[in-house]
Amino acid sequence: MEQSLSSGRLIKAPENFLNQNGIKTVFSEAKKGRRDFIRNAFVAAASGAAVPVAMAQVNPVPTEGGDPNILTLPAHSVGLGQGVAQNDGYGKPSQFESGVQRRQSPGLTQTTQASVSFAPLQSLFGIVTPSGLHFERHHQGWWDIDPSKHRLMINGMVKTAKVFTLDEIMRLPAVSRFHFIECGANTAVEWGNVAVPTVQYTHGMVSCSEFTGVPLITLLELAGADLKNGKFVLAEGADGSSMTRTIPMSLIKSGEVFVAYGQNGEMLRPEQGYPLRLIVPGIQGVSWVKYLRRLEVGDMPYATKDEAIHYMDLMPSGLHRQYSGIQECKSVVTTPSGGQVLLDKGFYNITGLAWSGKGKIKKVDVSVDGGRNWRTTRLQDPVMSKALTRFNIDWVWDGKPTIIQSRAVDETGFVQPTYQQLRAVRGTRSIYHNNAIQSWLVQENGEVKNVQVS
């Protein structure tokens, strides 16, 4: 970057677009059958949110004279700070980052126990999602289960049915791997048209962690599983919804699937399935069964409730596509992104995330003219299989309106599709597996909006 080129300033996106009264209004409108209730609610809330948030985040350097933030020593430079191991011995974020939180989206569900929270992608760095900001999806709420009483049973086509305690599992040889987990319904509200304003709500049902646990194949071998005739494994959770999912034995034999008790160097959080959950890399999050209590080996798919009724793709022909769990190649620009404001012309670092359920990300291209021209970005190390990958590219904004997009390619050669390409084969009435290219419109006044390019 040339020394004479000024760096542009960027205002963060508002962290919360709706208060509790606004959410209640959204629910009321939804009951009346209004199809656009989510979009209208966000638009109305966003129109009054950006200006005060922007002003609160700006502390400009004076154009003339000295900067009081340098000339006057602050209290933290002349006083005694707080002692170690405060906050009950567990570290917490700065008070100035308290707005960076998981957020619920209005209109998805009316009970918090069967709902979802979105990770604040626009405020994160690197590829690891802090455990406290990892997105949530629950079907009947979360539990903090006593690990001493939790058990994992293995039965079905096995020589000897086994029951493991958590201690017994934790004594077995372990693996630690970085993987993304994405809800199959991530970006679902955007299938028909633009619905929500920020990347937290469009793509925030994806997170990436280092998980630690025992390969599932190890546990099956201890039970003497019939690995020749047993083609599938049923995974069952211990929460009230009794979430059950079919896992192909081919994935398990590869060694990728494992039973985890650790996340980001500590035990799983209760919201993430403590004390045990299944890790199925590259497959939609509903198959990563939380509070895992039973594994049954069988010779055919189980067609459970959430496989025969939900988590299927409605095709243009009217047929439903079942067992389509792979999360295909996808990416999104997180900065600049919806709700943010560019204050100046000049240099910006465009950054975002890419991922693929089929392996490593090979490259990510970015366009700043609505897809007419593309430039290849820098992939930030590490680049790992079935994990989030951070990309960056330099950009100089000339102050004119522009549309920013990213397009990922994975190691299989799969290219992330446009909305036009995706809808040509999937229609517009789907819910799951929307991996279309995301577009952000940078307006002349610097405000960034969510748009779709056909």
Side-chain angles (χ1 to χ4, degrees):
M1 183 176 66
E2 295 181 5
Q3 294 295 325
S4 60
L5 187 61
S6 62
S7 294
R9 297 172 297 163
L10 183 143
I11 297 177
K12 295 180 180 180
E15 291 287 350
N16 197 3
F17 279 80
L18 291 179
N19 57 27
Q20 289 302 314
N21 290 333
I23 291 174
K24 289 179 180 178
T25 301
V26 169
F27 285 150
S28 176
E29 292 175 346
K31 288 181 178 180
K32 297 176 184 177
R34 294 189 57 184
R35 295 175 59 86
D36 59 351
F37 62 93
I38 298 179
R39 181 166 64 252
N40 286 350
F42 271 115
V43 169
S47 65
V51 173
V53 172
M55 293 178 65
Q57 292 179 345
V58 174
N59 183 15
V61 175
T63 56
E64 297 181 1
D67 186 345
N69 294 291
I70 294 177
L71 298 177
T72 303
L73 287 177
H76 58 259
S77 295
V78 296
L80 187 63
Q82 299 184 54
V84 301
Q86 299 295 301
N87 299 319
D88 299 321
Y90 197 92
K92 297 181 180 179
S94 164
Q95 61 178 318
F96 302 104
E97 302 299 328
S98 61
V100 181
Q101 301 175 12
R102 295 177 290 205
R103 302 285 181 184
Q104 289 192 68
S105 176
L108 290 181
T109 56
Q110 296 187 42
T111 61
T112 58
Q113 288 84 358
S115 190
V116 63
S117 71
F118 298 78
L121 302 183
Q122 72 282 358
S123 299
L124 304 182
F125 309 102
I127 64 170
V128 174
T129 309
S131 297
L133 296 176
H134 193 291
F135 89 92
E136 301 170 80
R137 172 67 171 107
H138 303 294
H139 291 257
Q140 202 176 43
W142 62 269
W143 295 88
D144 195 356
I145 296 173
D146 183 345
S148 70
K149 298 178 180 179
H150 189 73
R151 301 291 185 266
L152 174 61
M153 175 188 289
I154 299 180
N155 64 353
M157 298 173 66
V158 299
K159 289 182 179 180
T160 305
K162 288 279 190 179
V163 175
F164 294 92
T165 66
L166 178 62
D167 287 340
E168 288 171 336
I169 292 174
M170 293 182 69
R171 286 201 294 266
L172 295 172
V175 297
S176 290
R177 299 175 186 147
F178 290 87
H179 289 299
F180 79 83
I181 172 175
E182 181 181 19
C183 178
N186 198 23
T187 323
V189 294
E190 302 284 299
W191 263 108
N193 205 338
V194 170
V196 289
T198 72
V199 71
Q200 179 162 11
Y201 295 105
T202 61
H203 290 73
M205 282 194 283
V206 65
S207 295
C208 185
S209 292
E210 180 191 31
F211 294 100
T212 299
V214 177
L216 179 50
I217 189 65
T218 300
L219 298 175
L220 294 184
E221 288 173 344
L222 289 174
D226 186 345
L227 301 180
K228 179 179 179 180
N229 298 307
K231 305 297 183 182
F232 300 92
V233 169
L234 178 74
E236 179 183 292
D239 62 314
S241 68
S242 295
M243 174 58 66
T244 47
R245 296 290 299 184
T246 299
I247 311 299
M249 187 65 79
S250 57
L251 291 178
I252 298 168
K253 286 182 177 180
S254 73
E256 283 192 299
V257 181
F258 61 104
V259 175
Y261 46 80
Q263 179 181 4
N264 294 334
E266 61 180 1
M267 294 296 289
L268 288 165
R269 298 290 178 94
E271 302 98 316
Q272 302 305 324
Y274 177 87
L276 289 175
R277 82 173 302 168
L278 197 63
I279 306 298
V280 194
I283 305 300
Q284 61 189 352
V286 68
S287 292
W288 296 42
V289 176
K290 292 184 283 191
Y291 318 110
L292 185 67
R293 71 175 175 189
R294 189 169 71 92
L295 296 161
E296 179 181 321
V297 180
D299 58 3
M300 63 180 64
Y302 286 82
T304 66
K305 172 180 66 69
D306 286 281
E307 295 172 334
I309 300 176
H310 306 296
Y311 295 92
M312 297 189 298
D313 300 315
L314 178 59
M315 307 301 284
S317 64
L319 295 177
H320 284 86
R321 184 175 65 172
Q322 196 176 7
Y323 298 114
S324 54
I326 295 178
Q327 298 295 105
E328 294 185 319
C329 189
K330 189 171 180 178
S331 70
V332 65
V333 170
T334 56
T335 298
S337 63
Q340 297 176 346
V341 181
L342 278 59
L343 291 178
D344 313 288
K345 300 177 185 178
F347 172 84
Y348 289 89
N349 177 52
I350 296 176
T351 188
L353 296 165
W355 59 99
S356 173
K358 294 182 178 180
K360 292 183 179 180
I361 291 296
K362 182 179 180 181
K363 73 168 183 172
V364 180
D365 297 324
V366 160
S367 173
V368 293
D369 57 11
R372 288 185 291 271
N373 297 284
W374 297 88
R375 289 191 296 148
T376 300
T377 65
R378 303 181 298 273
L379 299 186
Q380 184 174 313
D381 289 334
V383 177
M384 295 177 286
S385 180
K386 302 177 184 179
L388 293 185
T389 297
R390 173 71 61 176
F391 62 87
N392 299 276
I393 193 169
D394 301 340
W395 174 55
V396 178
W397 184 45
D398 59 8
K400 298 178 182 178
T402 189
I403 294 176
I404 298 176
Q405 301 173 319
S406 64
R407 180 183 65 190
V409 182
D410 67 22
E411 62 182 346
T412 71
F414 184 96
V415 181
Q416 184 180 1
T418 64
Y419 265 105
Q420 184 177 26
Q421 292 169 331
L422 186 63
R423 287 168 177 156
V425 296
R426 297 280 306 283
T428 60
R429 299 177 60 195
S430 287
I431 296 175
Y432 305 102
H433 310 127
N434 179 356
N435 66 323
I437 290 173
Q438 171 67 40
S439 302
W440 302 116
L441 169 64
V442 180
Q443 300 182 124
E444 194 169 5
N445 64 359
E447 292 185 12
V448 186
K449 302 289 186 181
N450 180 10
V451 297
Q452 287 189 8
V453 176
S454 60

